[in-house]
Amino acid sequence: MNMEKRVLEYILENKLLQEKEKVVVGVSGGPDSICLLEVLYRLQKQLEIELVVAHINHMLRGEEANKDEKYVNDFCVERGIEVYSKRININEFAKKQRMSTETAGREARYQFFREVMKKTNSNKIATAHNANDQVETIFMRIMRGTGLEGLTGIPVKRESIYIRPILFLQREEIEWYCEKNNLNPRIDKSNMERDYSRNKIRLDIIPYMKENFNPDVVTVINRMADTLKEDNELIESVIDEYFFKYCKVEKDYIVIRSDIAVCKSVIINRVIRKATSIISGSGYNIEAKHIVSVKKLLKLGTNKRVDLPNSLYAENVYGDIYVRKVESEEGKYCEEVVINKDHIESEFSFGEYSIKFEVLENVKNIKFTDNSFIKYFNYDKINGNIIIRTRKNGDKMIPLGMNGRKKIKDIFIDSKVSVSQRDIVPIIQFDDEVAWLVGLKVSNEYKVTKDTKKLLKITVMERN
C-alpha cells in the first residue's frame, strides 16, 4: 500500500478531517513536515480540503534558517499553496518568558499557527509528529516521573483543532518517501547535537534499545501508548464526575473545594491536573511534583500560594484552592480615572472592566435590581468628582445599614477575597468617600431615599 493511501486511511479512521475544511500545516522544511505537506497536497482533492502553510524562522541557525525559510516558500509556490512565514528571535523570547529555548520555540510555533488559523479562517492545524516522536516524548516523560496519562504520549487529535496525520509513520518511512519523490528536505544539523535530552534519546537510547533489546521497539511502544489511551479515557470519564462535584469553573479560574480532601489521593491528583489543563489550555509542562505542591495547599492556611508552569498559580483561599493564570503587571496596573459629576461620559474602561454611568431623573419609575454589579446612588449628594481606582492602604467606608466606618481590608477578609485579587477589585469613590467596593459593599452615605431627586446608575461589566 502506498504512503498516500495509508495516510488517507489513518485520517478517515481517526476522523481528523472533514470535507471543505481549511488546514494550516506547520512546516519547518525538514523531512517530517515536508512529507506531511506533500502527502496532504496529493490528497487534497480526494479529501476536498484546502491547505495553508505556516513556517516560523527561529533565528537560531543564521543563514541556514533563512535557507529553510526560502526552501519552504519555494516548495509552496511550486504547488500553489498559500504560505505565511514569521521570524522571531527565540533566544530573546525565551529570556523574556523565562523558558528554555526548546519550550519557547514550541510556544512561539503554536502561537503563530493559531494566528495563521485565525487570519485564514482555517479549521485545523496539522503538525508532523511521527511514531519516533511518540517514543521520544514517552521517554522524556518517564524521566520526569510521569503517570499513566503521560505514557499515552502525543494524542492524534487535540481540542478538535490540532491533528497529527502521520503519527503512525516511522522516521525511516518518512525519509524513504522524501527520497523516492525527490523532495530534498532541509536537514537541521542541530538535531544531530547532543545538547538536548530529546536528541540524546533519538541518537543514543532508541538505537541502543533496537540493537540490544527489540528491533521493533518504536512499534511496540506506540502500541503500548494506544492501549493505555483507552485505559486512560475510562479513568478520565470517572474523574469527570469528581471534577464537577468538587470544582467550580469560572471564566478565568477554577475553584477546587476543600471537601475534596475526603477523596483518595489519586482522585485529587487527577482533579488538580484537569483543573490546570483547563486554565492553561494544555497539560504540557505540568509534572507530578507540581500536582503534589498544589495538593499540599489543602493542608495549609489561607493565602498560601504555589507558582506553576504555563503562567499559572494555585492559592489557598479560606480552605478552597483557586487555580488561576498569573496576571501580567501591565494588565494589572490601572491608573485612577477622575470624572466630573457634571460631565459623565457613558462608559469607561478600567482594567478588566467596563464601567457605565447613567444619570436618571424619573426616580419613582425605577425598577431596582439585586445584581451585585448594578447599583444606584443618590446623585444629589455628590459634590465634585467621581473616581475609579483600586484599594489604598487605610481605605475605609460606611457600609449600607451601618453608622461606623469599616476597613476595606476587613470587608475583603469577611468576603473571603484572596490577597491576589484584592488589588484588581474596582472602587468607586465620590469626593473623598468610598461609595462602592464593586461586587461587595455600597456606602450608606449615598443611599437612595424618598427625597432623592436624581439617581446615578453604575453598571460594571467584565470585558471579553
Side-chain angles (χ1 to χ4, degrees):
M1 189 184 298
N2 67 27
M3 182 80 79
E4 289 90 4
K5 190 171 182 180
R6 290 172 63 201
V7 173
L8 176 63
E9 288 188 358
Y10 190 74
I11 288 171
L12 296 176
E13 179 185 348
N14 290 281
K15 300 177 181 177
L16 301 185
L17 292 169
Q18 296 179 350
E19 294 176 359
K20 310 301 181 186
E21 284 193 317
K22 197 169 187 179
V23 187
V24 176
V25 186
V27 180
S28 67
D32 301 340
S33 60
I34 286 298
C35 170
L36 171 63
L37 180 58
E38 181 69 12
V39 170
L40 290 179
Y41 170 70
R42 296 186 182 195
L43 291 175
Q44 66 176 341
K45 288 184 180 178
Q46 194 169 349
L47 287 168
E48 294 186 53
I49 59 172
E50 186 178 348
L51 302 177
V52 176
V53 164
H55 171 82
I56 190 162
N57 182 339
H58 294 128
M59 299 174 68
L60 290 173
R61 295 165 38 248
E63 189 57 33
E64 286 298 305
N66 296 337
K67 288 178 180 178
D68 293 348
E69 185 178 339
K70 184 179 185 305
Y71 168 80
V72 171
N73 185 73
D74 292 346
F75 191 93
C76 293
V77 169
E78 285 175 13
R79 289 158 179 78
I81 301 171
E82 189 177 7
V83 58
Y84 292 84
S85 295
K86 180 178 182 178
R87 295 187 180 188
I88 180 169
N89 188 318
I90 287 298
N91 284 331
E92 288 184 6
F93 181 78
K95 187 176 180 181
K96 185 177 180 182
Q97 299 296 323
R98 297 181 180 178
M99 297 175 175
S100 68
T101 304
E102 195 173 6
T103 301
R106 181 185 184 279
E107 290 294 317
R109 284 194 299 276
Y110 277 88
Q111 183 178 320
F112 181 55
F113 294 163
R114 290 190 293 270
E115 288 173 8
V116 174
M117 180 181 175
K118 184 176 180 181
K119 185 173 184 178
T120 59
N121 294 315
S122 296
N123 310 98
K124 298 281 173 63
I125 294 171
T127 58
H129 293 88
N130 59 55
N132 292 66
D133 293 324
Q134 183 76 289
V135 174
E136 292 164 15
T137 297
I138 289 170
F139 277 136
M140 290 282 288
R141 291 177 179 177
I142 288 172
M143 288 187 285
R144 291 200 295 258
T146 190
L148 176 63
E149 188 174 6
L151 293 176
T152 65
I154 305 166
V156 65
K157 181 167 53 177
R158 179 166 64 87
E159 299 172 25
S160 300
I161 294 174
Y162 304 98
I163 60 172
R164 281 90 185 209
I166 61 170
L167 189 60
F168 71 101
L169 291 177
Q170 293 194 28
R171 189 160 287 129
E172 293 85 351
E173 298 176 279
I174 290 168
E175 291 171 352
W176 172 85
Y177 180 83
C178 290
E179 185 176 349
K180 178 190 172 188
N181 291 284
N182 298 313
L183 301 180
N184 301 312
R186 297 283 300 166
I187 303 301
D188 183 351
K189 293 178 182 177
S190 67
N191 288 332
M192 303 304 293
E193 298 170 359
R194 288 171 170 81
D195 295 338
Y196 300 111
S197 297
R198 184 177 287 272
N199 285 3
K200 292 175 185 176
I201 293 169
R202 179 186 303 133
L203 300 172
D204 298 327
I205 295 177
I206 294 177
Y208 182 85
M209 293 186 75
K210 281 184 174 181
E211 184 178 344
N212 292 280
F213 294 96
N214 187 345
D216 293 325
V217 67
V218 172
T219 301
V220 170
I221 292 177
N222 273 269
R223 190 185 307 137
M224 176 202 75
D226 290 338
T227 302
L228 293 180
K229 276 189 184 79
E230 294 179 4
D231 294 346
N232 191 64
E233 285 169 5
L234 175 61
I235 294 170
E236 280 299 299
S237 68
V238 175
I239 293 301
D240 282 346
E241 296 177 17
Y242 286 94
F243 180 83
F244 290 110
K245 180 178 180 180
Y246 291 103
C247 297
K248 183 180 179 183
V249 181
E250 299 289 355
K251 179 185 174 185
D252 299 316
Y253 62 92
I254 289 176
V255 182
I256 305 172
R257 296 205 322 270
S258 59
D259 52 340
I260 197 175
V262 302
C263 296
K264 291 182 178 180
S265 182
V266 64
I267 292 171
I268 299 173
N269 292 347
R270 287 258 179 176
V271 168
I272 292 171
R273 182 172 291 281
K274 188 175 184 70
T276 56
S277 295
I278 290 172
I279 294 300
S280 70
S282 167
Y284 193 76
N285 290 331
I286 302 294
E287 300 175 18
K289 63 182 180 182
H290 303 123
I291 302 300
V292 169
S293 66
V294 175
K295 188 164 61 175
K296 284 181 178 177
L297 283 177
L298 286 165
K299 298 179 180 179
L300 301 177
T302 191
N303 296 324
K304 294 293 188 294
R305 160 180 171 161
V306 294
D307 292 319
L308 302 168
N310 302 339
S311 300
L312 299 183
Y313 71 93
E315 182 179 20
N316 183 314
V317 181
Y318 300 96
D320 295 335
I321 304 301
Y322 283 62
V323 180
R324 305 180 192 266
K325 274 272 190 186
V326 176
E327 291 180 64
S328 66
E329 289 302 313
E330 182 179 340
K332 188 174 177 181
Y333 176 74
C334 299
E335 292 186 0
E336 286 189 357
V337 177
V338 181
I339 314 154
N340 187 286
K341 67 169 282 190
D342 297 321
H343 301 93
I344 295 178
E345 298 177 23
S346 61
E347 200 165 315
F348 294 85
S349 293
F350 186 79
E352 299 177 353
Y353 299 93
S354 178
I355 303 177
K356 184 179 180 181
F357 294 87
E358 298 173 81
V359 178
L360 309 173
E361 298 194 27
N362 196 354
V363 177
K364 292 182 180 180
N365 295 329
I366 300 297
K367 291 184 179 180
F368 295 96
T369 174
D370 291 331
N371 191 319
S372 299
F373 292 90
I374 301 175
K375 294 299 175 186
Y376 298 84
F377 301 89
N378 190 335
Y379 179 80
D380 303 321
K381 289 199 70 176
I382 305 169
N383 294 316
N385 291 331
I386 297 167
I387 298 171
I388 310 170
R389 62 175 177 84
T390 52
R391 68 170 179 160
K392 297 178 180 177
N393 288 334
D395 270 341
K396 295 180 180 180
M397 70 181 297
I398 305 173
L400 186 65
M402 292 179 61
N403 293 320
R405 293 183 180 277
K406 187 168 184 177
K407 291 181 180 178
I408 296 295
K409 179 181 178 180
D410 291 339
I411 295 174
F412 279 135
I413 292 172
D414 293 346
S415 303
K416 297 187 176 181
V417 177
S418 66
V419 171
S420 61
Q421 294 300 297
R422 294 174 192 176
D423 289 328
I424 62 174
V425 175
I427 287 175
I428 308 294
Q429 175 181 318
F430 299 156
D431 305 319
D432 296 321
E433 291 284 338
V434 173
W436 186 15
L437 183 57
V438 172
L440 299 172
K441 295 287 183 182
V442 293
S443 171
N444 198 66
E445 293 291 281
Y446 298 93
K447 66 184 178 183
V448 177
T449 69
K450 60 183 178 62
D451 298 320
T452 300
K453 299 286 192 299
K454 287 183 180 180
L455 292 180
L456 177 61
K457 178 184 177 183
I458 307 178
T459 304
V460 177
M461 299 163 286
E462 278 192 281
R463 291 192 293 164
N464 294 327

